[in-house]
Amino acid sequence: MNTLQTPIDYLKGVGPSRADLLKKELGIFTYQDLINLFPNRYLDKTKYYKINQLQRNASEVQIVGKIINLKMVEQKRGKRLVATFQDETGTLELVWFRGQKWIKDSIKLNVPYVVFGKCNWFNGFSIPHPDLELLTEHKASIRSAMQAIYPSTEKLTNKGVSNKAKIKLMQNLFQETGAKFQETLSPLLINELKLISKTEAVFNIHFPKNAELLAKAQFRLKFEELFFIQLQLILKNISRKHKIKGFPFDQVGELFTEFYKNHLPFELTGAQKRVIKEIRNDLGSNAQMNRLLQGDVGSGKTIVALMTVLLAIDNDFQATLMAPTEILATQHYHGITELVKDLNINVRLLTGSTKTAQRRIIHQELEEGSLHLLIGTHAILEDKVKFKNLGLAIIDEQHRFGVAQRAKLWKKNSFPPHILVMTATPIPRTLAMSLYGDLDISIIDELPPGRKAIKTVHRYDSNRLKVFAFMRDEIKKGRQVYIVYPLIQESEQLDYKDLMDGFESISRDFPKPDYQISIVHGKMKPADKEFEMQRFIKGETQIMVATTVIEVGVNVPNASMMIIESSERFGLSQLHQLRGRVGRGAEQSFCILMTSYKLSTEAKTRLETMVRTNDGFELAEVDLKLRGPGDLMGTQQSGVLNLKIADIVKDNDILQLARNYAMHILKDDPSLIKEENKVLKYTYHQIGKHKNIWNYIS
Ligand code: ADP
Ligand code: MG
């Protein structure tokens, strides 16, 4: 008997050319791969329709009746065969455009048939190329109640590997293997969750006996898939904590205490305090910290980062803070040097535009150990940048950095430094669990007190005059305004033109000397950008016209109005980021989403969601539903989401369940050595051996 690792070439019905197609088109190399070709959907073959029940938009239907008339119809574009099909409630037409002769000869008039197919309506109902079966044969044949529809590609269809052919192959496979499949889950899980056996599940996913068994099969296989992914992620986390020693920061030293007591510019929020505690626990243990800090825009992550840095310095380690843009790095630098100006620590800034002389100083001080905190951009990752004793690396706004870059930071010391990743793009819990199951997660879910919720509205371009009038009022009150234009890589030229046109028209409506305007865009030199930013930060200009370069992190508390032009062109998380630039002071802030009248349904949903809520997590959930997980995280990280049967969005509840069970089991038996977990360990290793079954995080 053939095992599941048998090459697909050996399966009955698979010749060399089919084998080739299956490999290339569907990635099916073994019997196991074919088993894991899960149907996209099912046709319900338990339901029979009467002709008078058909609806114009009906999909596949199954009807019992007789063919009472058969004729060839000549057409300009060739012949077609038309049969009149009748049941006791009415008639419809069956139509064939190909293979008419063979069909005509095989059809029997006035005997009961079962007809199955997709029903069209055009001046009456018709079914093109239906499946036909004599009622007597239909009754005699063993069939599943629901018929699987498998994923396909154009090439497969063209080469005759139809759905029927795939069903046939699957039947052959079940015959050859005896349709018995080794159990992969433990008896405990099966009993507790009332799961059907692996064999039953695999059978019913391909040949469902009824809707209930299909649902059970789907549940069991989805659970299994998600469970083993979670098991792997959690095991990875446990093993990292065992294997990778961290630098224990056991001192809560002078700097931290001094800062906390005498220099903290405000009372920390409860959430900030909790998160600092979580971080301190990590740093005090012997394991390396690998923590994701999620907090909505404006929730105050910077101060948490700074206090973590102070802990590192207190323990005689160096620290680094990396930001995705020069503007943001510079702003962090200014903000942090201001906060620590009375503490005796050495902080420097390293970006792409740092002068050579300054770089030399930085390199030297880093290697000597006299530089305590290096703030900067990707420039920090360069090999020339060597630390004497890097103990902590903080990455701000994670979504701009890839996994590879994170890994580079690890290598800046003989032991990997503690890593804190901060993101303001909240990742839905479901996604975070799948992608970052190997990171610990802290969440700041509370905004500093006194913040007024930003009011968001959607306005059409035709209302621009009113928007400008409102803007004038705000400026009169002493507030500042951002106007943002989209920047999309592919059409940079066009975007630049939009921005410049906009700038000109705003300059006309808001003339000097009453109004001063800053402009910042990607084509400017960093020094010029910085100059313009500073003018705005200092309040010398009231209006900032910019592309999305200001998206991340920029902090000007006096700015109370954000106007986003062509906002239908932005993604949800980007809109939310932009909106987060206002609402940072004590004043009521506004976000105005400008669009033309032409909006796609998806764009409408995005705008409505923005108007409805300020909650970044809620937005992230909507975003996930709109765009799917791959898109949300960038292709780089979407590999893990290459799920065979589960859907990270729709099967959220199963994911949660799987994670809970995985944690529970590993807590009790971290190495899976208990008898009752043996089968889990075995399956886990099997999956590891045959990596093509599932993909994993690098
Ligand atoms: P983000 O999480 O977006 O990086 P920041 O760290 O830039 O947020 O903080 C946003 C603003 O809120 C800053 O002006 C900061 O000084 C202020 N802030 C942070 N924490 C508090 C707090 N506990 N109370 C009052 N203001 C705070
Ligand atoms: Mg920030």
Side-chain angles (χ1 to χ4, degrees):
M1 195 172 292
N2 285 318
T3 75
L4 291 181
Q5 293 315 317
T6 309
I8 198 68
D9 312 56
Y10 293 95
L11 183 64
K12 190 178 149 206
V14 179
S17 78
R18 263 197 184 178
D20 213 44
L21 271 172
L22 289 173
K23 287 174 200 172
K24 283 204 182 111
E25 296 294 304
L26 296 172
I28 294 172
F29 292 85
T30 62
Y31 281 31
Q32 175 73 69
D33 293 338
L34 184 61
I35 286 287
N36 282 347
L37 180 72
F38 295 118
N40 288 334
R41 60 194 183 96
Y42 299 85
L43 300 178
D44 188 348
K45 290 250 182 169
T46 56
K47 190 160 170 49
Y48 295 87
Y49 285 82
K50 297 286 176 209
I51 290 176
N52 69 357
Q53 290 173 330
L54 297 179
Q55 292 181 359
R56 278 185 62 166
N57 55 357
S59 47
E60 283 96 355
V61 294
Q62 185 168 243
I63 310 166
V64 181
K66 294 173 184 170
I67 293 171
I68 53 168
N69 181 22
L70 199 58
K71 60 174 190 274
M72 272 309 185
V73 180
E74 296 283 347
Q75 269 180 309
K76 268 191 217 131
R77 270 177 269 134
K79 280 185 272 190
R80 66 191 158 115
L81 177 65
V82 178
T84 309
F85 184 73
Q86 185 183 53
D87 72 0
E88 63 275 22
T89 69
T91 60
L92 56 71
E93 288 188 341
L94 310 176
V95 190
W96 290 266
F97 303 95
R98 296 180 302 272
Q100 297 97 332
K101 181 163 181 345
W102 183 82
I103 292 159
K104 190 165 184 265
D105 293 346
S106 63
I107 279 177
K108 294 179 181 143
L109 289 179
N110 298 315
V111 293
Y113 272 104
V114 179
V115 158
F116 185 86
K118 217 172 153 99
C119 185
N120 293 334
W121 192 90
F122 184 78
N123 260 339
F125 287 105
S126 67
I127 303 178
H129 288 267
D131 288 350
L132 270 185
E133 195 174 26
L134 286 168
L135 184 62
T136 47
E137 283 173 14
H138 181 80
K139 279 183 174 157
S141 67
I142 311 162
R143 55 185 53 250
S144 51
M146 333 266 292
Q147 185 189 307
I149 303 289
Y150 289 99
S152 193
T153 66
E154 212 180 307
K155 236 189 185 149
L156 283 170
T157 319
N158 288 343
K159 298 263 162 103
V161 189
S162 62
N163 199 59
K164 257 190 186 160
K166 286 184 206 119
I167 291 174
K168 187 74 198 136
L169 290 181
M170 205 64 84
Q171 282 168 344
N172 292 346
L173 187 151
F174 275 73
Q175 251 159 28
E176 286 185 25
T177 55
K180 288 265 179 296
F181 302 97
Q182 196 164 30
E183 188 48 68
T184 47
L185 292 173
S186 60
L188 195 106
L189 279 172
I190 291 176
N191 288 338
E192 214 162 292
L193 291 164
K194 299 194 174 57
L195 301 175
I196 57 175
S197 72
K198 176 81 173 182
T199 295
E200 236 186 323
V202 171
F203 185 84
N204 278 287
I205 206 78
H206 294 293
F207 305 102
K209 284 185 191 142
N210 56 48
E212 198 195 344
L213 274 168
L214 173 60
K216 283 189 170 166
Q218 286 172 322
F219 181 78
R220 143 129 213 174
L221 294 172
K222 286 174 178 186
F223 177 85
E224 178 178 347
E225 182 172 44
L226 295 168
F227 175 81
F228 282 106
I229 289 175
Q230 288 306 316
L231 200 70
Q232 198 224 9
L233 287 168
I234 297 164
L235 274 170
K236 230 176 157 177
N237 198 357
I238 294 175
S239 104
R240 179 172 52 73
K241 282 180 181 155
H242 279 295
K243 278 197 209 126
I244 306 177
K245 255 180 56 186
F247 306 114
F249 292 1
D250 34 28
Q251 310 278 342
V252 174
E254 242 172 79
L255 286 171
F256 186 94
T257 314
E258 165 72 10
F259 181 78
Y260 191 80
K261 285 204 176 130
N262 301 324
H263 303 288
L264 205 56
F266 36 69
E267 172 89 9
L268 294 179
T269 62
Q272 283 170 322
K273 284 184 192 159
R274 189 191 65 235
V275 165
I276 290 172
K277 229 179 246 161
E278 286 167 357
I279 292 171
R280 262 174 61 180
N281 275 343
D282 281 5
L283 298 176
S285 78
N286 278 317
Q288 180 221 12
M289 173 171 78
N290 220 355
R291 189 169 278 279
L292 179 70
L293 172 56
Q294 290 203 56
D296 216 338
V297 274
S299 62
K301 292 183 292 294
T302 314
I303 203 86
V304 173
L306 174 61
M307 295 184 70
T308 311
V309 166
L310 294 179
L311 279 171
I313 304 173
D314 271 336
N315 286 274
D316 291 328
F317 285 98
Q318 292 168 299
T320 186
L321 169 59
M322 204 163 81
T325 65
E326 192 152 344
I327 289 180
L328 186 55
T330 309
Q331 189 178 293
H332 270 317
Y333 175 73
H334 291 312
I336 286 177
T337 41
E338 176 61 27
L339 281 167
V340 301
K341 64 178 188 296
D342 297 325
L343 303 179
N344 188 21
I345 63 173
N346 184 10
V347 184
R348 289 195 190 274
L349 176 68
L350 178 67
T351 68
S353 48
T354 304
K355 297 269 176 350
T356 316
Q358 177 70 9
R359 266 171 205 263
R360 278 208 197 101
I361 299 175
I362 290 174
H363 291 168
Q364 194 185 341
E365 287 185 352
L366 275 182
E367 292 192 41
E368 282 170 10
S370 61
L371 182 51
H372 301 112
L373 170 61
L374 180 63
I375 297 173
T377 55
H378 293 79
I380 291 176
L381 295 174
E382 285 167 19
D383 291 335
K384 275 177 288 183
V385 180
K386 294 195 187 80
F387 292 81
K388 179 171 184 230
N389 199 8
L390 180 65
L392 169 72
I394 301 178
I395 306 173
D396 196 10
E397 313 294 354
Q398 143 84 4
H399 62 298
R400 297 285 184 91
F401 289 105
V403 177
Q405 286 159 323
R406 236 201 293 164
K408 256 192 164 170
L409 277 172
W410 279 49
K411 299 200 179 105
K412 292 259 173 206
N413 204 343
S414 49
F415 275 119
H418 295 293
I419 303 268
L420 182 66
V421 173
M422 304 198 291
T423 170
T425 308
I427 300 162
R429 276 195 70 74
T430 44
L431 201 55
M433 278 192 290
S434 313
L435 286 172
Y436 299 111
D438 63 331
L439 296 188
D440 296 308
I441 299 178
S442 286
I443 296 177
I444 304 186
D445 51 5
E446 183 185 349
L447 291 180
R451 294 272 172 82
K452 294 201 176 73
I454 302 164
K455 285 193 179 139
T456 304
V457 292
H458 170 205
R459 292 286 178 268
Y460 293 104
D461 291 338
S462 52
N463 291 326
R464 187 172 305 276
L465 286 181
K466 273 195 187 151
V467 173
F468 278 0
F470 184 52
M471 198 172 135
R472 250 176 231 117
D473 290 345
E474 284 295 292
I475 293 174
K476 214 177 273 163
K477 289 190 218 154
R479 309 285 132 68
Q480 288 166 287
V481 181
Y482 293 101
I483 304 178
V484 177
Y485 288 82
L487 179 74
I488 296 173
Q489 302 285 297
E490 300 94 74
S491 61
E492 226 172 272
Q493 289 302 337
L494 263 181
D495 290 329
Y496 184 66
K497 191 176 167 297
D498 281 356
L499 176 78
M500 283 314 178
D501 289 352
F503 179 65
E504 267 169 35
S505 97
I506 290 158
S507 303
R508 273 196 304 275
D509 278 284
F510 295 87
K512 285 179 187 170
D514 288 354
Y515 300 96
Q516 299 292 330
I517 307 176
S518 287
I519 180 163
V520 172
H521 58 80
K523 293 196 166 179
M524 287 162 72
K525 288 204 193 87
D528 296 340
K529 264 194 237 173
E530 179 55 26
F531 176 76
E532 288 287 310
M533 274 308 300
Q534 285 304 328
R535 290 211 305 150
F536 189 67
I537 290 170
K538 287 182 201 144
E540 291 168 13
T541 58
Q542 300 101 334
I543 302 170
M544 161 65 78
V545 177
T547 55
T548 45
V549 286
I550 63 141
E551 176 191 340
V552 176
V554 171
N555 188 23
V556 180
N558 189 49
S560 67
M561 195 168 169
M562 166 62 67
I563 300 174
I564 306 175
E565 295 288 345
S566 307
S567 56
E568 70 271 27
R569 286 170 62 189
F570 291 89
L572 253 183
S573 73
Q574 218 179 4
L575 288 172
H576 183 56
Q577 280 286 327
L578 286 169
R579 176 168 62 184
R581 297 311 107 213
V582 296
R584 301 185 151 237
E587 307 304 332
Q588 176 63 56
S589 289
F590 303 91
C591 174
I592 301 180
L593 306 169
M594 304 294 298
T595 71
S596 65
Y597 281 103
K598 238 176 95 183
L599 294 175
S600 67
T601 328
E602 209 189 295
K604 272 185 204 147
T605 309
R606 286 198 298 266
L607 296 166
E608 279 161 17
T609 312
M610 281 293 292
V611 171
R612 175 167 52 85
T613 179
N614 275 312
D615 180 340
F617 284 92
E618 196 180 331
L619 284 162
E621 293 285 352
V622 175
D623 209 18
L624 181 63
K625 279 180 191 139
L626 285 178
R627 296 163 68 199
D631 226 23
L632 203 60
M633 299 313 300
T635 44
Q636 207 178 15
Q637 293 174 332
S638 62
V640 69
L641 298 164
N642 203 347
L643 299 170
K644 290 270 179 247
I645 187 163
D647 178 312
I648 206 124
V649 180
K650 293 185 196 130
D651 300 321
N652 188 344
D653 48 344
I654 307 181
L655 173 62
Q656 187 73 51
L657 191 73
R659 183 169 175 84
N660 288 346
Y661 271 96
M663 288 213 285
H664 185 73
I665 289 169
L666 288 173
K667 202 169 176 191
D668 176 56
D669 182 16
S671 313
L672 299 178
I673 43 174
K674 288 196 178 166
E675 185 60 34
E676 69 211 41
N677 294 327
K678 245 183 164 169
V679 53
L680 297 179
K681 185 165 192 157
Y682 179 79
T683 312
Y684 182 71
H685 284 297
Q686 285 301 109
I687 294 172
K689 257 199 251 167
H690 308 291
K691 274 244 160 143
N692 57 336
I693 300 179
W694 285 313
N695 285 308
Y696 291 91
I697 294 184
S698 57

